[in-house]
């Protein structure tokens, strides 16, 4: 109902009478007033006067009702420990494919390799629950597809030169703007669900202890609507995943890669490998050519570009 009410208010710059809204939505004027009060409590500036209601300003908060087509699958929380945990609990209880858990802030946001992910106000933090009908070995392709779609959304909506860094970071001018964390549950080698957590430095200051991080607002000098960005990204990604064509995903990733051709150092729990990143194989593994001409296939690790 909030979604329909906002559609009416958004379409009118003049006040809309309670009577007219009541006719359109088929609910009483008292019920409308209650919805208006709830929206106001959520930060919407809605004037109410003798001629009706007028929306003056809407907060840039990705509430579920801002996503009319997918409202029932969007779960917004002002604050959680980590959207990864909330999403996993929902996945285990059987939530539908393409459920999205979003948080305004996180107190225990986490990244790859057991790192923390600072999650202050203004950033975009969410986890997708995906249920692709594919064998578990193919799951990296879903991650690569997601990173590629995200980079293209940043390019198209924010006009920035977003590039993918192996495995799934997004860099702009060599600085990290987004990170991705993927967790998988499989049953008999088939994917049961994948939770993909994405943190985007959107309108927040990038963490000061990470000089190699940036944010969209830092680059553009102006804030970008997080709800519009997320709506667009989700539409693009869902269309991509519904097409179920994972054959071109790695090639698409490679075409906007910041890693290929670079001297790299890969640090995993067991070893450090240095060399030149020359390729990514169909499973998403990075191929590094070492100084002695050997080609190593790397499945997991931290990737540093241009190590000194
Ligand atoms: C990384 O670069 O190491 C991955 C960072 C992933 C951060 C996101 S924010 C939303 C989701 N919730 C988390 O706790 N982590 C992911």
């Amino acid at each position: 109902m909030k979604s329909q009410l906002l559609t009416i208010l958004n379409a009118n710059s003049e006040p809309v009478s309670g009577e007219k809204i009541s006719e359109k939505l088929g609910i009483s004027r008292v019920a409308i007033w209650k919805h208006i009060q709830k929206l106001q409590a959520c930060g919407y500036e809605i004037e109410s006067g003798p001629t009706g209601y007028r929306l003056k300003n809407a907060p840039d908060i990705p509430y579920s009702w801002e996503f009319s087509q997918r409202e029932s699958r969007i779960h917004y929380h002002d604050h959680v420990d980590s959207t990864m945990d909330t999403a996993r609990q929902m996945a285990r209880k059987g939530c539908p494919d393409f459920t999205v858990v979003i948080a305004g802030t996180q107190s225990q946001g986490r990244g790859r390799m057991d790192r923390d992910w600072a999650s202050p106000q203004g950033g975009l933090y969410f986890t997708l629950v995906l249920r692709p009908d594919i064998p578990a070995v193919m799951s990296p392709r879903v991650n690569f597809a997601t990173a590629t779609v995200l980079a293209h959304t940043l390019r198209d909506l924010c006009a920035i030169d977003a590039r993918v860094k192996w495995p799934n970071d997004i860099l702009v001018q060599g600085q990290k703007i987004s990170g991705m964390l993927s967790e998988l549950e499989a049953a008999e080698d088939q994917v049961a669900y994948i939770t993909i957590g994405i943190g985007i430095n959107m309108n927040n200051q990038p963490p000061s202890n990470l000089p190699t991080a940036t944010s969209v607002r830092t680059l553009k000098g102006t804030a970008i609507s997080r709800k519009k960005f997320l709506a667009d990204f989700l539409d693009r990604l869902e269309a991509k995943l519904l097409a179920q064509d994972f054959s071109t995903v790695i090639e698409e990733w490679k075409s906007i890669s910041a890693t290929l051709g670079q001297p790299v150092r890969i640090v995993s729990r067991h070893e450090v490998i240095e060399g030149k990143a020359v390729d990514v194989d169909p499973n998403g593994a990075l191929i590094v050519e070492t100084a002695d001409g050997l080609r190593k296939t790397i499945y997991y690790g931290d990737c540093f570009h241009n190590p000194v």
Side-chain angles (χ1 to χ4, degrees):
M1 199 48 80
K2 288 190 192 65
S3 156
Q4 289 165 281
L5 181 53
L6 284 170
T7 305
I8 296 174
L9 294 177
N10 269 318
N12 290 279
S13 51
E14 296 299 313
V16 192
S17 71
E19 200 177 339
K20 198 167 173 188
I21 300 175
S22 157
E23 260 171 38
K24 283 201 169 171
L25 299 185
I27 58 170
S28 73
R29 288 167 67 173
V30 175
I32 290 163
W33 173 231
K34 284 194 177 146
H35 283 299
I36 295 276
Q37 281 180 310
K38 280 193 189 144
L39 285 170
Q40 286 170 329
C42 289
Y44 291 78
E45 284 179 50
I46 303 173
E47 266 176 5
S48 81
T51 49
Y53 301 107
R54 189 172 79 89
L55 178 63
K56 278 181 68 186
N57 199 16
D60 182 27
I61 301 177
Y63 290 119
S64 58
W65 53 79
E66 294 281 356
F67 301 80
S68 52
Q69 300 307 309
R70 54 177 83 251
E71 182 172 356
S72 63
R73 290 178 293 157
I74 299 277
H75 300 266
Y76 172 80
H77 304 271
D78 283 332
H79 179 83
V80 292
D81 290 345
S82 162
T83 55
M84 297 306 287
D85 299 337
T86 315
R88 187 173 49 205
Q89 283 159 17
M90 293 178 70
R92 287 189 175 156
K93 285 186 187 151
C95 70
D97 182 31
F98 223 84
T99 292
V100 188
V101 179
I102 312 164
T105 57
Q106 305 180 108
S107 47
Q108 286 168 44
R110 58 177 195 266
R112 294 178 67 248
M113 316 284 284
D114 297 329
R115 276 191 294 263
D116 293 338
W117 180 266
S119 312
Q121 292 278 2
L124 192 47
Y125 316 110
F126 59 99
T127 298
L128 303 154
V129 179
L130 305 177
R131 299 187 183 278
D133 188 13
I134 53 171
V137 286
M138 271 182 72
S139 71
R141 297 199 196 190
V142 176
N143 303 338
F144 278 71
T146 305
T148 306
V149 170
L150 180 56
H152 280 294
T153 312
L154 284 162
R155 285 167 168 238
D156 296 346
L157 266 63
C158 310
I160 52 180
D161 184 24
R163 298 189 165 267
V164 283
K165 173 180 176 245
W166 188 87
N168 298 128
D169 286 351
I170 310 280
L171 305 185
V172 180
Q173 295 155 11
Q175 293 181 297
K176 181 161 169 171
I177 204 158
S178 171
M180 208 176 104
L181 176 67
S182 174
E183 295 173 352
L184 169 84
E185 180 105 0
E188 290 171 11
D189 297 337
Q190 195 73 6
V191 169
Y193 64 82
I194 307 175
T195 47
I196 298 187
I198 297 177
I200 309 172
N201 292 324
M202 208 62 157
N203 299 325
N204 55 305
Q205 288 287 343
S208 54
N209 60 334
L210 295 175
T212 55
T214 189
S215 74
V216 176
R217 196 184 62 186
T218 307
L219 291 166
K220 303 296 295 177
T222 180
I224 293 282
S225 165
R226 291 177 305 169
K227 53 189 188 189
K228 282 206 188 107
F229 182 89
L230 184 58
D232 196 274
F233 167 69
L234 294 175
D235 287 350
R236 292 175 186 225
L237 182 62
E238 193 167 30
K240 175 83 187 161
L241 298 182
L242 282 175
Q244 293 237 330
D245 180 6
F246 293 107
S247 61
T248 52
V249 160
I250 300 291
E251 288 307 314
E252 285 159 7
W253 185 95
K254 285 193 217 173
S255 71
I256 51 165
S257 161
T259 300
L260 295 182
Q262 296 285 330
V264 291
R265 178 186 294 137
I266 310 293
V267 181
S268 72
R269 290 204 170 93
H270 310 292
E271 59 181 345
V272 175
I273 295 169
E274 288 191 354
K276 185 175 167 193
V278 290
D279 205 358
V280 170
D281 80 6
N283 299 316
L286 184 68
I287 314 292
V288 173
E289 197 171 281
T290 56
D292 49 13
L294 288 177
R295 287 193 164 209
K296 300 225 171 192
T297 303
I298 298 161
Y299 294 93
Y300 192 75
D302 248 345
C303 172
F304 298 93
H305 288 177
N306 300 307
V308 275

